[in-house]
Amino acid sequence: VQLVESGGGLVQAGGSLRLSCTGSGSGFTLDDYAVAWFRQAPGKEREGVSCFSDSDDMIYYADSVKGRFIISGDHAKNTVYLQMNDLKPEDTAVYYCAAVWGRPSYETYGSDWFYDHWGQGTQVTVSS
């Protein structure tokens, strides 16, 4: 399974960006794989941001992004999107998508050890 992210960039505080994560490879479908977004800021640990698990119709958000970020999936394109609104300087980080065959729980969706496949990351910078 290969994951490719796109959509990062530089935006002012209060602005919006949409990240995309497209999966490919043998057997990859959003019917079977959960896809999550993580982020890592300089000097900080990697943080689970959101997860799209269509096999059990579950979506998870970290408290820090609830009400501002929206995750969605397009089965035909094998792509998961992260719409990021009202961006803040503290959202600045490298954003990674990750995938796992299976269903994460509330306790595991934000745990990087749970995921088997990772993208290369895309930089998001929010200026104040």
Side-chain angles (χ1 to χ4, degrees):
V1 172
Q2 293 80 44
L3 303 173
V4 178
E5 302 104 332
S6 62
L10 173 65
V11 65
Q12 289 187 332
S16 298
L17 284 174
R18 188 178 79 159
L19 305 183
S20 301
C21 173
T22 299
S24 62
S26 179
F28 180 86
T29 72
L30 295 184
D31 292 328
D32 297 321
Y33 280 77
V35 176
W37 286 96
F38 287 78
R39 65 186 181 186
Q40 189 165 23
K44 294 188 177 181
E45 292 187 355
R46 190 154 51 186
E47 173 191 21
V49 173
S50 184
C51 179
F52 180 86
S53 179
D54 206 44
S55 63
D56 56 352
D57 198 25
M58 294 297 290
I59 286 177
Y60 302 94
Y61 294 103
D63 288 342
S64 58
V65 305
K66 279 181 182 176
R68 300 188 297 123
F69 291 11
I70 301 170
I71 194 169
S72 62
D74 184 331
H75 286 255
K77 297 181 179 179
N78 277 343
T79 297
V80 171
Y81 301 99
L82 186 68
Q83 177 67 42
M84 306 187 296
N85 301 318
D86 189 22
L87 283 160
K88 303 176 180 181
E90 51 264 43
D91 294 317
T92 295
V94 177
Y95 282 71
Y96 300 90
C97 70
V100 63
W101 190 94
R103 302 174 180 182
S105 66
Y106 180 81
E107 291 76 21
T108 60
Y109 87 92
S111 301
D112 54 9
W113 57 262
F114 188 78
Y115 296 86
D116 298 319
H117 311 283
W118 291 82
Q120 81 286 356
T122 185
Q123 177 71 46
V124 171
T125 303
V126 184
S127 62
S128 58

